Amino acid sequence: MPNAVSLLRAARLARSAKPFLARGGFKRERCEGCRLVPSHCMCALRPSVPTRAGVCLLMADIEPLKPSNTGWLVADVVADTFAFGWARTETDPALLTLLRDPQWQPYVVFPGEYAAPERVVHTVQPPDPAGTGTGKRPLFILLDGTWSEARKMFGRSPYLAALQRGRAPLTSDCARFPCCSYRALAKA
């Protein structure tokens, strides 16, 4: 079954005027499931991690096309993964619906130095102690792109700013030591 990133990739390819060529300028044969060359396919080794958390990948324009994008790994491992393309001038209505969904408590995973100290959280609200399942599930929002693209997404997305008023971003040292989506999620 295709994951959220593969669906976003298919939609992005449908809009493309020319084929996307990964670094090196030539197109290698790749597994459709994991995007690795067939000799390194890891589809059979794909784990599934039981978690209450969800992940929302907000992806820069060409990120879903890159075979090396680690958002694919996140979507393969975390069942409740959502992927959306980011554009400065328009916002996917499904993203806004997800962010307003009462079952989720959104957290933007982004370095704390870009937010006021009172808006930075270091721990996620635990599930309710009574175990009634009425607590909100954490939804980690990862800005997937280069750091300059991620800063642009963070600064030019009013719906993220609105979240941060009551739901602050988590801190990460990834701005100083660039890291992939997978590592940023693990640090969160």
Side-chain angles (χ1 to χ4, degrees), residues 3 77 123 134 155:
N3 65 37
V77 173
T123 58
T134 57

Side-chain angles (χ1 to χ4, degrees), residues 51-54 101-107 124-139 167:
T51 178
R52 289 184 68 242
D101 188 324
Q103 77 168 313
W104 298 110
Q105 173 66 55
Y107 295 95
V124 174
Q125 215 172 18
D128 65 31
T132 60
T134 57
K136 289 187 172 197
R137 297 170 58 196
L139 177 68
R167 303 173 186 130

